[in-house]
Amino acid sequence: MITRVFSAAVVGVDAREIEIEVNTGSGEPSIIVVGLPDAAVKESKDRVIAALANSGYRWPRKRTTVNLAPADIKKQGPSFDLPIAIGMIATDQEEELPRLSRCAVAGELALTGDVRPIKGALPLTLEARARGKKAVILPLANIREASVVKGIDVYGVRNLREAYEFLSRTIELTPSVCDSDTLAHQGHPFEVDFSEVKGQHQVKRAIEVAVAGGHNLLLLGPPGSGKSMLARRIPTIMPPMSLDEAIETTKIHSVCGLLSPDESIVLRRPFRDPHHTISDIGLLGGTTNITPGEVSLAHHGVLFLDELPEFHRSTLEVLRQPLEDGRVTISRASGTMTFPSAFMLVSAMNPCPCGYYGDPKRECRCSPGQVERYRQKISGPLLDRIDLHVEAPAVEYKELSDTIPAESSAAIRERVIKAREIQKRRFAKSRKVTCNARMTHAQLKEHCRLDDRGNELLKNAMTDLNFSARAYDRILKVARTIADLAGSDSIAPDHLLEALSYRNLDRRIWS
């Protein structure tokens, strides 16, 4: 007798349906797992045998072959334990399970027969729905995550016996219900707020512009000027994620095992701040099994690189493709994967190793050679991909001692949301472009037209400051965002001048 159980394998951040066939035949009692399994899948037979015995079942005392089809997809992880065990029980008892053909099953088994949580429950559920399955059976700890998917029943099981008895209609279970629309609009208070930041009005304005258009940002200033503090408050003014964005972000966190059991969906935009000792693989993604890196974990959120020149130059250079394309392609011996990585890059750095170059009150202790080597750690092509370069000076005592609270994050966020709504209407016909920073060249020509005065201003700036063609595009995109914040249909000279003021810092300091 052959029993077929449907499950799924995580490939990148998506899942592919896997059909598990269990067949018994003549020969010495043994279990053979075929279909390109990794070590964790090969070890499943030992976990399954113990779980079957401790759950009151027995495995077929025959030569048992477990085939994981299609055979050209590598099967990884312990999530196939539960479907393999169910297939063995049904084959041994020669029993047809009424619900088996319309369900997808996944879960890791403990030796006691308990079902443990797995990674990738959300993409697995999405794949099951896409394949026409009516239900999915998962570990109880994963049902909050999977139940955000509409159009499919999600059942949580505690152990192997409960799963098998449900499939054989011995018992009934209640599907988990989650109102994903309500979840997507829930408010989640932040522990920090822009009202706590004293001074730095110009920097706050630049941050508002950057968030309103999804632009990349570089903060440059001496130690203690509040660069990191400002960066960590950026998520408080970002617009809420749509349901599609939340599900896409949750998929990435799910396959990386970063969702807590009581978290059904990622509602806050991610804020990732890796240490400067991170490797190329840690930032971009990779390893033998090709898992997402920090650039993908920051998808639809913020990637914050503090002390930018302290990162290895080779590590920073791998950011070029994700910054330009919003995705990252990783090639290894085991294959090639493409992960989404549409994030907002926020970086901070000192102007020199000691941090006080150009400071009017503190003397810089660095030699010209040290300053030059420090700045050369950041390449010109990477700087070109950062839209706004903003100086964050030291805060004066008068501003620090001021008792009047600054503008709150809620007030700034309201203006950002209005600007994003304008962009949403502007790019309604485009699925990939959602903000000004992602405009294509054709959209740039359509939406960023300048009048004669604006063209003359930009021409003089390009000539005097020697901006690149990429910088030209990014200046126009930032000017379009400033116009959106002002509620203007066209880009006025004032909008263009403000955008230019956010680009000359690298030329003034690096020259």
Side-chain angles (χ1 to χ4, degrees):
M1 176 182 176
I2 298 179
T3 300
R4 293 180 175 87
V5 186
F6 294 94
S7 187
V10 175
V11 181
V13 294
D14 296 310
R16 292 279 301 276
E17 185 180 61
I18 301 298
E19 183 178 350
I20 300 169
E21 300 173 313
V22 181
N23 180 62
T24 56
S26 59
E28 291 292 326
S30 61
I31 299 174
I32 302 169
V33 181
V34 297
L36 209 57
D38 71 348
V41 180
K42 289 178 181 178
E43 292 170 354
S44 67
K45 60 184 180 182
D46 298 313
R47 292 191 296 272
V48 167
I49 290 173
L52 289 172
N54 291 318
S55 300
Y57 299 107
R58 49 169 284 168
W59 65 280
R61 296 299 195 271
K62 301 176 183 179
R63 179 182 174 87
T64 304
T65 302
V66 179
N67 180 40
L68 310 177
D72 61 336
I73 299 176
K74 189 172 183 179
K75 321 306 185 302
Q76 301 170 355
S79 62
F80 299 104
D81 291 0
L82 183 59
I84 289 174
I86 288 171
M88 284 188 175
I89 300 171
T91 302
D92 179 65
Q93 298 183 358
E94 297 185 357
E95 182 180 3
E96 293 287 342
L97 300 179
R99 291 171 168 158
L100 197 56
S101 62
R102 65 183 188 90
C103 289
V105 185
E108 177 185 351
L109 286 177
L111 300 185
T112 59
D114 291 336
V115 181
R116 290 174 172 165
I118 59 171
K119 296 178 182 179
L122 178 58
L124 186 150
T125 308
L126 290 168
E127 173 68 6
R129 185 185 65 178
R131 293 287 182 171
K133 301 301 177 186
K134 302 300 182 183
V136 62
I137 299 174
L138 294 170
L140 199 61
N142 290 119
I143 60 170
R144 285 180 62 86
E145 168 191 349
S147 59
V148 300
V149 181
K150 295 181 178 179
I152 187 169
D153 293 331
V154 178
Y155 295 94
V157 294
R158 297 178 178 83
N159 50 58
L160 172 60
R161 176 167 286 277
E162 188 174 48
Y164 188 80
E165 289 180 348
F166 171 72
L167 288 169
S168 62
R169 294 187 184 275
T170 305
I171 64 171
E172 294 295 329
L173 297 175
T174 302
S176 177
V177 178
C178 175
D179 189 349
S180 53
D181 291 331
T182 303
L183 275 177
H185 293 90
Q186 280 182 355
H188 290 263
F190 290 90
E191 294 77 23
V192 295
D193 196 276
F194 267 99
S195 62
E196 303 159 351
V197 181
K198 304 294 184 180
Q200 301 293 17
H201 303 293
Q202 181 184 357
V203 183
K204 290 179 185 177
R205 167 62 179 176
I207 290 174
E208 180 181 340
V209 172
V211 174
H215 304 289
N216 302 318
L217 174 69
L218 170 65
L219 302 175
L220 188 143
S225 59
K227 302 184 297 296
S228 300
M229 180 178 66
L230 286 160
R232 296 183 188 283
R233 282 159 175 74
I234 287 177
T236 67
I237 64 171
M238 297 187 80
M241 287 198 290
S242 65
L243 181 59
D244 290 340
E245 288 177 331
I247 289 177
E248 192 174 5
T249 304
T250 305
K251 282 170 58 179
I252 301 171
H253 287 245
S254 175
V255 300
C256 292
L258 297 180
L259 288 179
S260 60
D262 57 345
E263 186 178 21
S264 58
I265 191 171
V266 176
L267 294 175
R268 282 187 180 179
R269 292 189 180 272
F271 182 87
R272 305 294 300 183
D273 55 341
H275 193 259
H276 63 260
T277 57
I278 191 172
S279 66
D280 303 9
I281 291 176
L283 190 63
L284 201 64
T287 71
T288 305
N289 295 329
I290 312 186
T291 55
E294 290 291 334
V295 296
S296 297
L297 291 170
H299 186 53
H300 291 314
V302 175
L303 177 66
F304 177 48
L305 302 183
D306 201 4
E307 304 296 342
L308 189 64
E310 300 300 330
F311 286 79
H312 297 294
R313 179 160 180 154
S314 62
T315 302
L316 293 178
E317 292 307 303
V318 303
L319 289 172
R320 291 191 191 184
Q321 185 203 9
L323 284 176
E324 202 71 29
D325 302 334
R327 63 181 186 275
V328 57
T329 301
I330 303 169
S331 296
R332 296 287 185 269
S334 57
T336 300
M337 294 286 179
T338 298
F339 297 123
S341 57
F343 58 89
M344 174 183 169
L345 175 65
V346 178
S347 52
M349 63 175 288
N350 299 326
C352 67
C354 77
Y356 296 106
Y357 180 85
D359 192 289
K361 297 182 179 179
R362 300 285 294 270
E363 182 180 358
C364 176
R365 304 187 302 270
C366 306
S367 67
Q370 287 177 311
V371 176
E372 181 68 17
R373 286 192 296 271
Y374 183 76
R375 294 170 180 171
Q376 290 303 318
K377 291 182 178 180
I378 305 171
S379 68
L382 181 60
L383 277 175
D384 258 355
R385 288 169 168 82
I386 300 178
D387 308 63
L388 294 86
H389 314 144
V390 185
E391 191 170 6
V395 183
E396 298 291 339
Y397 173 77
K398 181 180 178 181
E399 294 175 319
L400 285 173
S401 59
D402 191 358
T403 57
I404 301 175
E407 188 176 30
S408 67
S409 294
I412 302 172
R413 191 185 197 209
E414 186 175 344
R415 293 195 296 269
V416 168
I417 292 174
K418 287 181 180 178
R420 284 292 184 104
E421 286 296 326
I422 294 173
Q423 296 165 52
K424 185 178 179 181
R425 292 192 295 270
R426 177 180 299 135
F427 306 121
K429 296 180 180 179
S430 175
R431 296 183 60 187
K432 294 184 179 180
V433 178
T434 56
C435 60
N436 289 333
R438 299 287 172 187
M439 270 193 282
T440 63
H441 185 68
Q443 290 169 333
L444 189 74
K445 292 174 66 176
E446 180 183 355
H447 301 297
C448 298
R449 296 190 180 97
L450 301 176
D451 57 17
D452 292 341
R453 187 184 171 196
N455 278 316
E456 188 65 23
L457 280 172
L458 191 53
K459 175 185 174 181
N460 293 335
M462 293 291 294
T463 303
D464 296 342
L465 297 174
N466 194 27
F467 286 134
S468 67
R470 182 181 288 111
Y472 170 84
D473 287 352
R474 291 181 183 273
I475 289 168
L476 287 176
K477 292 176 182 179
V478 173
R480 179 66 266 173
T481 299
I482 295 169
D484 290 341
L485 283 168
S488 173
D489 293 332
S490 60
I491 299 176
D494 290 346
H495 306 147
L496 187 59
L497 285 170
E498 184 178 354
L500 286 167
S501 73
Y502 297 136
R503 285 297 302 194
N504 65 6
L505 186 62
D506 59 324
R507 305 302 172 191
R508 176 162 57 85
I509 288 185
W510 260 254
S511 59

